[in-house]
Amino acid sequence: DLRFEEFELRDIQDDEILAQVMTDSLCMSSYKAMLQGSGHRCIPDDIGRNPIIMGHELCARILRVGCKVKKDYKPGDIFAVQAKMFFGDEIKSPGYCYTTYGGNATNIIVPSEVIDGGDLLPFDGGAYFKASMAEPISCLISALRSSFHLAPNNKDHMMGLRPGGSMAILAGCGPMGLGAAEAAMALDNRPARIVLTDIDEKRVARAQALLKGKNGVKLEILNTNGIGDLPGFLGAGRNQFDDILVMAPVPGVIEQADSLSGIDTCINFFAGPTRKDFYASINFYDVHYNYKHIIGTSGGDIDDMREALRLIEAGEIDVSVLIS
């Protein structure tokens, strides 16, 4: 039950901030929240009586500051927000939990728990939309940092992408796939080769026009529609891809990732499904004998967000490729 309504905000408390939303972008997580309603793990059960404001990829400008937080914030400051916040075992986020704090609004009240948690992050990177894009970039940085490979003893985990390795981003010509490539090329432990695949020629053509290799990374963007032997088409032998991101919740795409994995490959199922009974076939012989790793990540933490803002402000990541 989505509504566009107008109402007056209450006055802020001494430990709160009144801010004007400058930009808010829309991601698939908001669509899933719309589909699931109070069944979503972050949305309260009482939204029928206390509706929440959606939108979690926001950039805002401070209008007024409560007297208890004036030493750290002032009117005119621009900030991005950490979306995924932890309060003990509870996960909360703008766009999911709050009645006066979400990106799909003109003005918002930033709660004291958000301020106290350090989840307002100053932004000095130019256009407001770039601060909104820091949230999805932080999710991608989290995914790339969560990849892991084995040390020679086959016990210790080396975190992050394999430096100088090969990376595949499957179903990767949508906004988040392009963002993943941008983020991977900006990291210190970047791959030498990134392959993005998709089955929609318009998306492939758009990706080819927007995305360019940099920092010594070879970039390939390919239409795999109708390709029966994907490993052969991509020239893949054992160890062809060290890291694989799955960007669509489709069993066939997961099985493609499985077919492209080699020894010590890490597959990240990044695309969260809406169905809780979601399955795909995986070769567990390779899990045992070839040390194939399967992980999934959702959201990013405050360190990922800070790194996203740093890379955006420094011009290392072109976030315009995410805008569609």
Side-chain angles (χ1 to χ4, degrees), residues 173-193:
C173 290
M176 291 300 277
L178 303 190
E182 276 284 332
M185 290 189 290
L187 296 179
D188 290 336
N189 58 332
R190 64 183 68 97
R193 178 194 185 208

Side-chain angles (χ1 to χ4, degrees), residues 111-165:
S112 60
E113 64 182 3
V114 174
I115 300 168
D116 293 342
D119 294 310
L120 294 188
L121 299 166
F123 179 69
D124 187 24
Y128 297 122
F129 84 91
K130 294 182 180 181
S132 285
M133 291 295 95
E135 197 284 329
I137 289 293
S138 77
C139 300
L140 294 165
I141 288 174
S142 175
L144 301 177
R145 286 173 160 177
S146 297
S147 187
F148 72 94
H149 301 279
L150 297 177
N153 62 14
N154 284 343
K155 295 179 181 177
D156 295 327
H157 292 173
M158 300 181 294
M159 299 305 297
L161 303 176
R162 186 182 296 283

Side-chain angles (χ1 to χ4, degrees), residues 41-44 46-47 50-54 83 85 90-101 113:
R41 64 177 183 167
C42 293
I43 295 180
D46 67 346
I47 54 172
N50 296 297
I52 56 95
I53 297 176
M54 295 189 71
M85 302 176 294
E90 186 180 16
I91 299 175
K92 299 178 78 172
S93 174
Y96 298 89
C97 306
Y98 297 99
T99 59
T100 59
Y101 178 49
E113 64 182 3

Side-chain angles (χ1 to χ4, degrees), residues 9 18-25 53-63 77-79 81 94 100-110 128 132:
L9 286 176
L18 177 69
Q20 177 186 9
V21 176
M22 309 307 294
T23 56
D24 179 78
S25 48
I53 297 176
M54 295 189 71
H56 62 276
E57 299 182 355
L58 65 109
C59 172
R61 180 173 64 90
I62 293 177
L63 297 176
D77 287 350
I78 306 298
F79 64 83
V81 306
T100 59
Y101 178 49
N104 293 351
T106 306
N107 291 347
I108 55 175
I109 297 174
V110 183
Y128 297 122
S132 285

Side-chain angles (χ1 to χ4, degrees), residues 87 262 289:
F87 300 96
Y289 286 106

Side-chain angles (χ1 to χ4, degrees), residues 14 35 48 51 58 73 78 102 163-165 219 226 238-239 257 271-272:
D14 292 344
L35 292 179
L58 65 109
Y73 303 94
I78 306 298
L219 190 65
R238 304 307 282 175
N239 278 323

